[in-house]
Amino acid sequence: MDKEVVLVLDFGGQYNQLIARRVRELAVYSEMVPYDIPFAEVQAKKPAAIILTGGPASVHIKDAPACDPRIYSMGIPVLGICYGMQLIAFQLGGEVKGSQLREYGRTLLDAVGDDLIFKGVSKQTQVWMSHGDSIDSIPEGFSITASTENCPIAAISNPSSKLYGVQFHPEVRHTIEGQQVLKNFLFEVCKLKGDWDLSDYIEEMIQAIRDKVGDKKILCGLSGGVDSAVAATLVHRAVGDQLVCVYVDNGLMRKDESEQVIRTFKDQMKMNLVFADSGERFLSKLKGVSDPEKKRKIIGEEFIRVFEEEARKLGEIDYLVQGTIYPDIVESGTKTAQTIKSHHNVGGLPEDMKFELVEPLRLLFKDEVRIIGEKLGMAEEIVWRQPFPGPGLGVRVLEEVTPEKVQILQEADHIVREEIKKAGLDREIWQYFAVLPPVRSVGVMGDGRTYAYPIIIRAVTSDDAMTAEWAHIPYEVLDIMARRIVNEVRGVNRVAYDITSKPPGTIEWE
Ligand code: XMP
């Protein structure tokens, strides 16, 4: 791939993946690498620019994370964000000190002078800060380009060396003009063209899959989730009938989910789809089990066994499609992509079943996967599907899972999804679903007393599931959902709405 690349050196801050995503939204390919990447590797990647991320450390601690300082004299632009800016100052002879005044949250930033990085940005603008240390004195050749009330050195630059730093986080939405700052860095400072185009990616990937797979058979485990669905569609475009998809219905899917998968992939897209109807098998294994981790383990292992049985029936298979996406790779260790081998046994499958992996989405963020799905003409209901945990409703029926409880939950969850969609909130809410707790409460319906289950509605907004806020759904929408659930779902007499954010809660209840 002969494209402009921005290297994002990861110092461990919580918003780091967002930085790489925002750069890609501006049509520039970005790659996340560990902060201590050897200098020779940086050179080999021929980056057009480098961004140093934020991170939890202080430059003063022993063995503070630091990049090779030779990157500052490569002649390519460097932007340091938060810890990244402090590191630039520290490594080039400035001073950083622990500040009495920690700044956390929204604050107003005043731009000083006419630095390129603030071109088109209001002289006073709201930014998001999250830091303890601050720069006390700047290195030679730099000037101060912005300040806030508690942070006199909130941005620095050295245009002749193309080195820039901002103490705030331009990548988060709370920094209102943050995207303009990143845009200025990429296009005003670095003078990039912006050549990251997902249509090209599709064409290149289709060719790469054809070259790799040849005329061999390739298998895909389809979960109904966005990633595996887009991966399968891309592979299908490349090699057609050589692809066989296996879909395992574990009995813990949402209402109508399996029908939708069959309709989409088998009927509309004419893919070879093996449908393993295994609900009873999973539910009998789960009988009497109430520990969440045990449930997860049972469901995961059973999935592998069913998949293995179906795969064996298909005879010789050489390749396996996986819907691995870029965050899976970045998150699997700060030592990142290099440690993940593309040829290995797939977790849990027997030793003799070795496949070569085909991971057509491994360079993409979730938003990009959705765009690829749209470009491939996939149905909106699949492309914009909310994230769904592998163990499915098994972790939303709390404690012991029974067929009756699964059915109650499916009905209630269906109503939640339907009403959120009707209210036009389905794209802004990250996940929205129903949970069935293992308690019952007293109610009154008609002339009679009831003793039945409550349903908990859970809905959160999030960027990446690492943190989440409970969604402020209008009362009217909550009201309709609650009425419908109690009236339409037998066995339910009460509805509660979970108003806990993550942290301290998690998105799921188990
Ligand atoms: P929590 O509950 O930890 O969830 O805030 C974070 C995100 O991960 C999803 N999730 C899972 N996904 N297998 C999965 O594939 C699991 O066991 C699992 N548990 C949670 C959850 O839906 C949310 O998007």
Side-chain angles (χ1 to χ4, degrees):
M1 195 162 52
D2 197 15
K3 288 196 166 35
E4 295 168 342
V5 178
V6 171
L7 277 193
V8 178
L9 266 57
D10 185 356
F11 288 87
Q14 62 172 323
Y15 308 122
N16 293 355
Q17 286 193 29
L18 265 183
I19 300 174
R21 274 166 63 186
R22 298 285 178 247
V23 170
R24 295 214 196 158
E25 281 170 17
L26 292 165
V28 176
Y29 181 68
S30 62
E31 192 178 319
M32 290 193 71
V33 293
Y35 67 83
D36 56 356
I37 176 174
F39 184 62
E41 278 183 40
V42 173
Q43 286 176 308
K45 287 180 183 288
K46 299 199 180 79
I50 294 178
I51 298 180
L52 311 181
T53 75
S58 160
V59 294
H60 293 300
I61 61 166
K62 189 170 173 286
D63 299 326
C67 52
D68 192 313
R70 282 175 288 182
I71 64 165
Y72 303 126
S73 39
M74 289 172 78
I76 59 170
V78 179
L79 171 66
I81 294 174
C82 196
Y83 179 80
M85 164 166 109
Q86 294 165 10
L87 187 69
I88 294 178
F90 183 71
Q91 287 185 313
L92 296 178
E95 280 176 42
V96 175
K97 63 164 190 195
S99 162
Q100 294 302 317
L101 293 164
R102 294 194 72 232
E103 259 190 320
Y104 185 80
R106 295 180 179 86
T107 188
L108 289 173
L109 179 96
D110 292 296
V112 181
D114 293 310
D115 195 56
L116 259 191
I117 209 107
F118 293 114
K119 189 175 170 185
V121 174
S122 315
K123 276 285 167 211
Q124 188 173 65
T125 186
Q126 179 193 299
V127 297
W128 183 261
M129 289 283 206
S130 174
H131 65 113
D133 288 2
S134 305
I135 295 182
D136 201 28
S137 77
I138 55 177
E140 216 179 296
F142 279 77
S143 47
I144 298 168
T145 55
S147 59
T148 69
E149 195 182 342
N150 292 330
C151 181
I153 307 182
I156 58 173
S157 80
N158 179 345
S160 64
S161 303
K162 300 188 202 155
L163 303 177
Y164 292 79
V166 291
Q167 183 58 65
F168 59 90
H169 288 272
E171 68 278 15
V172 305
R173 296 283 181 214
H174 300 302
T175 297
I176 296 189
E177 294 173 273
Q179 195 70 340
Q180 183 64 35
V181 171
L182 290 175
K183 198 168 169 183
N184 288 339
F185 176 67
L186 299 175
F187 302 109
E188 298 292 332
V189 174
C190 306
K191 307 251 183 281
L192 299 182
K193 297 191 291 287
D195 59 4
W196 173 236
D197 179 340
L198 290 171
S199 299
D200 293 348
Y201 183 89
I202 292 176
E203 294 311 317
E204 286 164 19
M205 199 40 75
I206 286 177
Q207 196 51 50
I209 295 167
R210 284 186 185 142
D211 292 346
K212 181 166 183 170
V213 175
D215 58 3
K216 300 269 173 51
K217 243 193 200 169
I218 177 164
L219 178 68
C220 178
L222 209 53
S223 68
V226 183
D227 303 338
S228 65
V230 174
T233 308
L234 200 50
V235 172
H236 187 246
R237 272 293 155 88
V239 296
D241 278 352
Q242 286 163 247
L243 172 72
V244 182
C245 293
V246 172
Y247 172 76
V248 178
D249 183 337
N250 57 12
L252 303 163
M253 312 307 285
R254 288 164 289 190
K255 189 178 175 184
D256 299 335
E257 188 150 21
S258 296
E259 290 77 3
Q260 191 191 67
V261 167
I262 293 173
R263 201 169 54 238
T264 306
F265 295 100
K266 198 176 177 107
D267 302 344
Q268 291 167 4
M269 292 162 77
K270 313 278 181 225
M271 288 192 194
N272 284 327
L273 181 73
V274 175
F275 177 68
D277 190 2
S278 319
E280 277 174 27
R281 184 167 162 173
F282 280 81
L283 286 166
S284 73
K285 288 262 171 192
L286 287 169
K287 204 160 178 229
V289 183
S290 53
D291 177 69
E293 288 316 304
K294 270 199 196 128
K295 282 161 53 177
R296 272 200 168 77
K297 202 156 175 267
I298 290 171
I299 299 167
E301 274 172 12
E302 205 55 23
F303 178 87
I304 294 282
R305 296 289 78 87
V306 175
F307 189 75
E308 174 197 342
E309 285 168 24
E310 295 299 335
R312 286 205 194 281
K313 285 186 209 159
L314 297 169
E316 187 75 3
I317 301 269
D318 300 283
Y319 294 94
L320 181 72
V321 185
Q322 290 228 311
T324 318
I325 64 173
Y326 199 49
D328 303 333
I329 289 173
V330 175
E331 277 157 23
S332 63
T334 42
K335 293 298 172 205
T336 63
Q338 302 93 309
T339 56
I340 297 191
K341 294 191 192 116
S342 73
H343 190 149
H344 66 132
N345 197 24
V346 180
L349 285 173
E351 270 296 300
D352 66 327
M353 288 190 89
K354 281 207 167 71
F355 302 104
E356 178 124 12
L357 293 185
V358 173
E359 299 174 310
L361 311 176
R362 63 183 278 122
L363 294 180
L364 304 179
F365 286 107
K366 190 91 170 184
D367 349 20
E368 296 174 310
V369 171
R370 291 205 158 105
I371 296 172
I372 298 261
E374 284 182 337
K375 283 182 185 288
L376 290 170
M378 295 173 66
E380 189 190 319
E381 58 191 12
I382 302 260
V383 172
W384 285 97
R385 181 165 267 218
Q386 53 172 324
F388 187 57
L393 301 185
V395 290
R396 293 182 181 168
V397 169
L398 309 185
E399 299 199 349
E400 190 185 357
V401 180
T402 64
E404 298 73 37
K405 287 182 175 181
V406 170
Q407 204 195 345
I408 290 176
L409 186 60
Q410 280 174 332
E411 295 300 328
D413 182 71
H414 181 66
I415 294 173
V416 171
R417 288 189 288 136
E418 208 167 65
E419 291 302 329
I420 292 284
K421 188 158 173 57
K422 253 193 230 160
L425 298 170
D426 51 327
R427 295 247 182 137
E428 63 191 75
I429 300 183
W430 172 266
Q431 273 176 282
Y432 44 96
F433 54 87
V435 176
L436 180 65
V439 291
R440 282 183 289 172
S441 77
V442 174
V444 57
M445 241 182 197
D447 291 329
R449 176 186 183 277
T450 58
Y451 188 55
Y453 291 108
I455 281 289
I456 297 156
I457 298 174
R458 181 69 166 145
V460 297
T461 55
S462 176
D463 255 320
D464 51 14
M466 305 285 281
T467 60
E469 281 187 66
W470 63 275
H472 292 220
I473 297 175
Y475 281 166
E476 296 72 28
V477 179
L478 286 171
D479 186 49
I480 296 173
M481 290 195 284
R483 282 171 197 274
R484 281 195 60 197
I485 290 171
V486 172
N487 286 331
E488 295 174 31
V489 185
R490 284 183 80 87
V492 176
N493 64 353
R494 197 179 282 271
V495 175
Y497 186 45
D498 178 0
I499 53 167
T500 319
S501 290
K502 173 185 180 177
T506 49
I507 295 176
E508 305 289 344
W509 271 56
E510 277 194 342

